[in-house]
Amino acid sequence: SRRTMGSMRRPNRRAGSPFDRTEAPSFEEPPPTATRGVAESSRPLRAAALAAAKAASRRSSGAPAAVLLLLWRRRAWLFLEVDPSEEPWAGRYQSMTAILIIVNVVLDILDSIEDFPFTEDRSPSFRILERFTCVVFTLEYAMRLWSCVESTGLSEHLRYPRLTWATQVMPILDLVVLAVFYLDILLTSDRARGLQAIRVLRLLALLKMERQTSSFATIVAVLSRKQHELSATLFLAMVLLVMASTAMFYIENPAQPDKFSSIPATMWWAVAAMTTVGYGDICPTTTEGKLLGAVVAFMGIGLFALPSGIVSSGFMEVLDEQRAAENDEIADMIDEDKECIQELRTDVASLREVLEEMRRAVEGG
């Protein structure tokens, strides 16, 4: 499997090898960009870089403070961004944050139940959990903001790397969730109770799990790939909606002027009929209207089945590409290992020749 291949990976020490970049920077002259780009590189490179950072931090007891800060900053970024399969403690931390998020969301839901024991009048246990979650999320945001300069994606924004990182989608989401947590803790007076409706934004903490699942990234990739097909389907739906609403208005308005009072009001019936929901609050009573409603319902079934097929095919294409990329990565790793093995065989053959010459020289002497 891919994890097994990554764990069996041995650093390549050949000249010009990309693994040469993962060595700890010199304490005398640490290169300013030596640690940038580690988290976004390939899986073996990230693993080797993480090992190098750990080894360098153990050997740096007498190093200057600036170098220690550089090493710990790189290690912090790797801890937050590295694949959990390559760093056990990173995996444990991600699991802990996921559990915290789920527990807080469940408690927010249960808080809407009157006289629920744990959330009633904000029990001490509830407040302790709330403050602990707030502290964890605050420390995580501060560490990401401090260590984000190690990201290759920010290397082209060297003037304001932290500002560039802070204006991305996930950091803004983290900041909003933090602000809601702090407001919920601070606003405890009766006068401020009206502002506590923003507690619903705490449910956005669920989106923080996107870093572990990458589900929204897959959905965005699918929608981007199939945007033309989905746009065509949406255009057809709008045309059918307008035509059905207009025809039904002129058919049913004389019989039901209070319900089919205008074309925009009739659009509500068209939406319910096309999606086959059929709430029943507005329905045709004339024979012509019922016939038109049946036609619209059948057309709606076929029309709304198109986006499902388009999105499904997009998911299959994206997943196939991801699998192909993983297979290519494993194949590259195997090819590099074969080159290393061939070089080792060449070196062993050369050593045998040298030993044979030395033996001959000894015997001749």
Side-chain angles (χ1 to χ4, degrees):
S1 64
R2 189 180 175 195
R3 290 188 180 180
T4 306
M5 294 300 300
S7 62
M8 297 174 60
R9 183 87 175 120
R10 293 186 297 273
N12 189 352
R13 298 300 181 184
R14 292 179 286 124
S17 171
F19 285 90
D20 295 336
R21 296 195 300 269
T22 64
E23 297 178 357
S26 173
F27 292 139
E28 289 77 12
E29 296 180 359
T33 59
T35 63
R36 238 180 230 117
V38 176
E40 288 81 4
S41 57
S42 62
R43 177 181 294 240
L45 183 58
R46 291 201 310 269
L50 186 63
K54 291 180 179 179
S57 63
R58 288 194 296 266
R59 297 194 302 267
S60 58
S61 57
V67 177
L68 286 174
L69 191 64
L70 183 68
L71 291 173
W72 279 105
R73 188 176 66 187
R74 177 174 68 171
R75 190 170 181 181
W77 182 253
L78 286 170
F79 178 81
L80 294 171
E81 296 294 331
V82 77
D83 194 317
S85 63
E86 299 169 3
E87 173 54 41
W89 283 105
R92 296 186 184 101
Y93 173 75
Q94 291 184 9
S95 301
M96 184 195 73
T97 55
I99 293 173
L100 276 179
I101 291 171
I102 294 173
V103 169
N104 277 274
V105 170
V106 171
L107 290 178
D108 285 337
I109 295 173
L110 295 177
D111 191 29
S112 62
I113 303 175
E114 295 184 3
D115 301 330
F116 189 76
F118 190 74
T119 59
E120 184 180 7
D121 296 330
R122 297 299 179 87
S123 65
S125 301
F126 183 87
R127 289 194 171 277
I128 290 174
L129 177 63
E130 195 175 43
R131 283 164 172 74
F132 176 73
T133 305
C134 189
V135 169
V136 171
F137 288 167
T138 302
L139 292 177
E140 179 184 345
Y141 183 84
M143 287 182 63
R144 290 184 184 276
L145 183 63
W146 172 60
S147 62
C148 67
V149 294
E150 300 294 333
S151 171
T152 299
L154 302 178
S155 59
E156 56 190 32
H157 305 285
L158 293 179
R159 190 173 182 181
Y160 304 108
R162 291 187 173 89
L163 179 62
T164 304
W165 176 84
T167 53
Q168 295 175 355
V169 176
M170 290 303 297
I172 291 176
L173 177 64
D174 293 340
L175 190 60
V176 170
V177 172
L178 270 179
V180 174
F181 267 100
Y182 277 108
L183 286 175
D184 192 36
I185 292 174
L186 297 175
L187 300 179
T188 56
S189 63
D190 294 336
R191 184 176 299 178
R193 285 291 178 180
L195 297 176
Q196 290 193 351
I198 62 174
R199 292 185 73 238
V200 68
L201 295 178
R202 287 174 50 160
L203 298 179
L204 292 176
L206 281 173
L207 300 180
K208 289 170 63 69
M209 298 176 65
E210 167 65 12
R211 289 192 175 97
Q212 287 89 356
T213 60
S214 300
S215 56
F216 284 100
T218 304
I219 294 174
V220 170
V222 171
L223 295 180
S224 299
R225 180 185 294 270
K226 298 295 182 180
Q227 58 180 341
H228 299 295
E229 295 87 342
L230 292 174
S231 299
T233 305
L234 180 62
F235 175 75
L236 290 176
M238 293 300 298
V239 170
L240 179 60
L241 176 67
V242 173
M243 293 178 63
S245 303
T246 304
M248 185 60 71
F249 168 73
Y250 286 110
I251 292 174
E252 289 292 325
N253 179 260
Q256 303 183 77
D258 55 335
K259 294 184 178 181
F260 295 89
S261 58
S262 63
I263 293 178
T266 310
M267 284 184 179
W268 168 245
W269 166 85
V271 170
M274 289 172 58
T275 56
T276 66
V277 175
Y279 286 111
D281 53 343
I282 300 177
C283 59
T285 57
T286 62
T287 304
E288 296 83 357
K290 292 179 180 179
L291 286 174
L292 179 60
V295 172
V296 171
F298 280 113
M299 294 181 65
I301 293 174
L303 183 63
F304 281 90
L306 289 176
S308 301
I310 293 172
V311 173
S312 299
S313 64
F315 267 107
M316 293 302 299
E317 292 176 5
V318 170
L319 294 178
D320 288 341
E321 287 185 359
Q322 291 178 355
R323 294 191 190 98
E326 292 178 358
N327 293 335
D328 291 342
E329 182 180 353
I330 295 175
D332 292 339
M333 293 165 56
I334 294 175
D335 291 339
E336 290 181 5
D337 284 339
K338 288 181 178 179
E339 293 177 2
C340 294
I341 293 172
Q342 185 62 35
E343 289 186 1
L344 288 174
R345 288 176 177 174
T346 304
D347 293 340
V348 170
S350 301
L351 287 174
R352 286 178 178 175
E353 293 179 358
V354 171
L355 290 174
E356 186 66 22
E357 291 178 359
M358 292 176 63
R359 186 181 63 81
R360 292 173 182 174
V362 170
E363 290 179 353

